Amino acid sequence: MATSISDIARFSWTALMGYPTRTILMLTAMAIGVAAVIMLTALGEGARRYVTNEFSSLGTNLVIVFPGYSETSGLNPIAMVGTTPRDLTLDDAQVLTRNTNIRRIAPINIGSVNASFQGRSREVPIIGSNSELLNIRHWKLAQGHFLPATDLDRATPVCVIGRKISDELFATQAAVGQWIRLGDRRFRVIGIMASEGRSIGVDVQDTIMIPVASAQQLFNTPSLFRILIEAKTRSAIESVKQSTIEILKERHQGKRDVTVITQDAVLVTFDRILGALTYAIGGIAAISLAVAGILIMNVMLVAVSQRTAEIGLLKALGAPQRQIIRLILSEAIMLSAFGAVIGLLLGELGCFAIRQAFPDLPAYAPLWAVATAIAVSLLAGFIFSLLPARQAARLDPVLALRGK
Amino acid sequence: MIELISIHRDFLVGDQTVHALDDINLSIQAGEYISIMGPSGSGKSTLLNLIGLLDSATEGSYLLNQQDVTVLPDGQRAATRSKTIGFVFQAFHLIPRLTAAENIELPLILAGTEPERRRPLVNKAVTDMDLTDRAHHTPDQLSGGQRQRVAIARATIMQPNILLADEPTGNLDQKSGQDVINILEQLNQQGITVIIVTHDANIGQRAMRQIQMVDGRIESDQTLSQTSSS
């Protein structure tokens, strides 16, 4: 009859408790390895989620048009900064609105000017757009109205300001209805933004929005920085993209000089890059698990030499080789399992600390990383204790009883 | 019960072959009480280890209960040790982290005996060895005599036919040594074959059969009723 698993576990437990220093050392090594995998993959996964969330929050079914085009496909950083053989114009944006698959269009112009009110002034980022921007970007108003729904080329002297601008320029005074100076022009404040935080370079609280035609006058430029397009449905995104390219190519004398990207494409690209990054750092952290496994092998070899007489006794009492192997393996696997559990707790604690320190970063270890870390630690414990276990099992009982 | 036929046991020490046992022929019947004596290096412990299946002969045959056990696979060898043979050592060989009761229980655990069956056997062994109040003490909290009684309890918990004791009183004072020998004699009276290896002539002469070894050979083999030399 074979020794029961509970008896093997109990015997191994007493062996582990009998040598607390080496047990603590091995537990620490394994726990650090597992915690490292969990925390690093949580960081990678957190970064991936953060970036994809940020892109998701740009809007729904979004297609973005940039001036400039490179022959290479995908997201082109050069195109994003804009080498522009031909500018995007308000007329381009106007023509695109005829596409029935498009729900909304928001032409964008950006710049910065000095904003002042009653002696208070500061440099402020300006976004020139139209009434559709609010819905495309899913922003909310705290007070007043957003930009009026007028013709794109109508330069109305109104503005919508961020909460921070309101606090800095107007302090405790009511801002809505007041006239502020932007550069050399005066604009009436018609609304205050409620949306908080940043999204892809735009801090809504620290921005002033004006009609796109007003922005073009203010910055003395006929060109647009971007055109944001919201397709009616998800399935219409691709056709909107293609038709936008075709329409603008036709308008620009048959030359394709714009880059059109979809939100999904950007998301997939970032998702792929950051996902690969998570796997990479998880893999690097897993090396520490292998190191912990080697430590287990070393310490178990020492343990076997420390407990030679005990192994000799077990043989004298009738333990066959396979039972000795089982006892040594179970010790190593118990160590790995306890180390993994401690590492899991430490890792989760570390992730919690990261989330507390950086609330925007959703640092949660992916389930695959947790499962892999635990599986690898158990496997490392098993594999690296095979050698000491076989060595113990092959001891000559007579010599072993003498401690040799 | 035990039949050793032309047993040789050689060890290679460097370039030299040492004949630890040299043509040993020995027949032991069930229930005998045997002492093996002789100077250091005479081969008495080697003989005991061989009888106990801890060691194997280089040459010759070993029959145990009519079964040839000269060459057995590890598993069968261990099983035979577990069921048939108990060991008592000079150095006790108790596991220091386990209590007296746990040390006694160890052979039962290794044999896969269920906990419900183990408990009464351990309790009986503890009582028989007069260790009731020391059962939950670790070896370092026990006297030498108590430690050897724990070792004897462990050696007999599987109810073996043969009890092998290698210098069982070597680490004990005279009083404790006498107690241990008395226990071994009682076990022999209960039918267990007891074989003691000892340097102590007083202890050796208490055995019914006394074997004297010199240089790996049996020099004399005497019983109380008859005398024979080999």
Side-chain angles (χ1 to χ4, degrees):
Chain A
M1 204 183 301
T3 308
S4 68
I5 290 172
S6 63
D7 280 330
I8 289 178
R10 200 160 61 92
F11 188 81
S12 300
W13 175 254
T14 62
L16 295 178
M17 292 300 102
Y19 300 89
T21 309
R22 73 175 172 87
T23 302
I24 289 168
L25 272 176
M26 286 204 279
L27 284 178
T28 307
M30 200 47 92
I32 288 173
V34 172
V37 171
I38 287 174
M39 285 177 66
L40 288 176
T41 51
L43 275 174
E45 182 69 3
R48 190 185 68 81
R49 285 186 193 165
Y50 175 77
V51 171
T52 50
N53 286 346
E54 287 290 302
F55 271 93
S56 298
S57 71
L58 274 177
T60 310
N61 304 334
L62 209 56
V63 176
I64 305 164
V65 185
F66 299 86
Y69 178 69
S70 168
E71 290 300 327
T72 51
S73 58
L75 185 61
N76 180 1
I78 295 168
M80 287 179 89
V81 295
T83 52
T84 55
R86 186 180 291 271
D87 292 336
L88 275 175
T89 62
L90 278 180
D91 288 342
D92 290 333
Q94 195 70 57
V95 170
L96 291 175
T97 57
R98 291 174 200 156
N99 188 331
T100 52
N101 281 326
I102 291 176
R103 190 193 305 278
R104 299 184 178 95
I105 279 190
I108 303 281
N109 210 325
I110 59 166
S112 74
V113 294
N114 191 275
S116 60
F117 175 75
Q118 292 181 351
R120 296 191 193 93
S121 71
R122 58 160 289 194
E123 192 77 4
V124 177
I126 302 288
I127 294 178
S129 191
N130 64 351
S131 59
E132 302 286 29
L133 183 66
L134 188 72
N135 289 324
I136 289 177
R137 295 297 306 268
H138 300 161
W139 288 336
K140 294 275 188 296
L141 272 173
Q143 288 177 42
H145 305 282
F146 196 66
L147 300 175
T150 56
D151 291 340
L152 289 179
D153 55 1
R154 186 163 172 201
T156 317
V158 292
C159 68
V160 178
I161 63 174
R163 170 65 61 193
K164 192 175 169 192
I165 306 284
S166 171
D167 291 344
E168 289 182 7
L169 291 184
F170 298 96
T172 55
Q173 292 182 56
V176 176
Q178 301 281 8
W179 285 84
I180 61 170
R181 183 169 286 279
L182 299 178
D184 57 356
R185 290 163 185 269
R186 294 178 76 228
F187 289 80
R188 190 165 60 88
V189 178
I190 59 169
I192 298 174
M193 297 300 295
S195 301
E196 289 184 0
R198 289 174 168 273
S199 65
I200 313 293
V202 178
D203 183 355
V204 173
Q205 299 304 313
D206 197 26
T207 305
I208 292 179
M209 276 158 264
I210 60 176
V212 63
S214 305
Q216 286 182 320
Q217 288 177 4
L218 193 62
F219 303 127
N220 193 28
T221 172
S223 65
L224 294 175
F225 175 66
R226 301 272 185 278
I227 299 173
L228 300 184
I229 301 169
E230 184 183 312
K232 276 187 177 163
T233 60
R234 191 178 175 81
S235 57
I237 291 175
E238 199 51 40
S239 78
V240 167
K241 178 184 170 182
Q242 291 309 322
S243 64
T244 301
I245 291 168
E246 290 306 316
I247 291 167
L248 293 179
K249 188 175 172 183
E250 201 176 303
R251 283 182 53 77
H252 294 187
Q253 282 83 47
K255 186 171 173 58
R256 180 171 177 184
D257 56 4
V258 294
T259 299
V260 182
I261 60 165
T262 64
Q263 192 180 9
D264 281 0
V266 176
L267 270 173
V268 167
T269 304
F270 273 100
D271 199 51
R272 202 183 299 137
I273 292 169
L274 293 166
L277 186 72
T278 305
Y279 281 117
I281 56 177
I284 292 166
I287 292 170
S288 60
L289 280 177
V291 173
I294 291 167
L295 181 73
I296 282 190
M297 181 167 69
N298 282 329
V299 178
M300 290 309 285
L301 281 170
V302 173
V304 168
S305 66
Q306 271 181 341
R307 290 160 58 194
T308 304
E310 180 182 320
I311 292 161
L313 172 74
L314 295 177
K315 289 191 153 196
L317 295 180
Q321 288 190 0
R322 63 173 189 283
Q323 200 163 19
I324 303 284
I325 288 176
R326 273 208 292 263
L327 287 171
I328 301 288
L329 285 183
S330 80
E331 266 183 53
I333 290 170
M334 275 176 93
L335 271 176
S336 306
F338 287 134
V341 169
I342 294 169
L344 181 64
L345 294 176
L346 282 178
E348 290 297 343
L349 197 67
C351 293
F352 176 75
I354 293 170
R355 292 196 297 271
Q356 293 300 306
F358 307 99
D360 288 341
L361 192 69
Y364 293 94
L367 196 61
W368 64 261
V370 176
T372 307
I374 291 171
V376 169
S377 64
L378 290 178
L379 200 66
F382 175 76
I383 289 172
F384 287 106
S385 61
L386 274 176
L387 178 70
R390 285 168 64 89
Q391 204 175 68
R394 286 176 177 175
L395 284 175
D396 178 331
V398 176
L399 292 175
L401 279 165
R402 290 187 207 143
K404 291 179 182 171
Chain B
M1 185 185 200
I2 294 172
E3 193 77 35
L4 299 178
I5 305 158
S6 297
I7 291 287
H8 291 256
R9 180 64 174 109
D10 300 336
F11 292 109
L12 203 62
V13 180
D15 297 338
Q16 297 241 310
T17 302
V18 175
H19 304 292
L21 295 177
D22 188 6
D23 195 24
I24 299 289
N25 289 285
L26 185 63
S27 181
I28 297 171
Q29 301 307 312
E32 282 197 90
Y33 178 23
I34 299 172
S35 65
I36 302 174
M37 291 181 284
S40 294
S42 59
K44 50 191 190 303
S45 288
T46 305
L47 179 60
L48 199 75
N49 290 333
L50 205 135
I51 292 171
L53 294 174
L54 290 177
D55 200 0
S56 302
T58 313
E59 206 182 311
S61 298
Y62 175 13
L63 303 179
L64 178 63
N65 295 327
Q66 282 90 49
Q67 188 198 352
D68 189 349
V69 293
T70 318
V71 183
L72 277 182
D74 174 72
Q76 283 184 42
R77 209 175 177 74
T80 308
R81 266 202 305 268
S82 168
K83 289 175 192 160
T84 317
I85 303 164
F87 288 93
V88 177
F89 304 98
Q90 179 180 357
F92 319 125
H93 284 306
L94 300 178
I95 296 181
R97 59 180 182 274
L98 302 182
T99 64
E102 288 168 341
N103 269 290
I104 294 168
E105 191 184 18
L106 198 51
L108 294 168
I109 292 173
L110 294 173
T113 313
E114 295 90 353
E116 308 81 60
R117 286 184 56 214
R118 294 203 302 255
R119 258 175 243 121
L121 291 171
V122 172
N123 290 340
K124 183 176 183 306
V126 164
T127 309
D128 288 350
M129 291 296 150
D130 196 19
L131 290 163
T132 313
D133 58 338
R134 315 301 286 171
H136 301 294
H137 289 70
T138 50
D140 61 340
Q141 296 167 322
L142 303 175
S143 69
Q146 287 168 338
R147 287 183 205 182
Q148 199 58 299
R149 277 186 278 149
V150 171
I152 294 170
R154 182 184 62 192
T156 53
I157 194 81
M158 293 293 289
Q159 298 172 323
N161 307 124
I162 303 164
L163 185 63
L164 306 177
D166 192 355
E167 301 280 7
T169 60
N171 280 354
L172 301 178
D173 57 56
Q174 198 175 6
K175 165 78 175 63
S176 302
Q178 283 301 322
D179 291 344
V180 163
I181 294 302
N182 289 340
I183 291 169
L184 294 179
E185 286 175 1
Q186 281 168 23
L187 290 168
N188 175 244
Q189 282 157 19
Q190 289 165 21
I192 299 177
T193 307
V194 175
I195 304 172
I196 297 179
V197 163
T198 182
H199 272 105
D200 189 331
N202 291 329
I203 290 170
Q205 282 160 11
R206 286 174 65 162
M208 289 190 308
R209 184 175 171 189
Q210 295 151 25
I211 294 171
Q212 194 73 38
M213 291 190 72
V214 176
D215 293 337
R217 301 178 71 91
I218 294 176
E219 192 175 74
S220 69
D221 183 350
Q222 301 174 319
T223 63
L224 286 179
S225 54
Q226 62 175 32
T227 303
S228 68
S229 293
S230 58

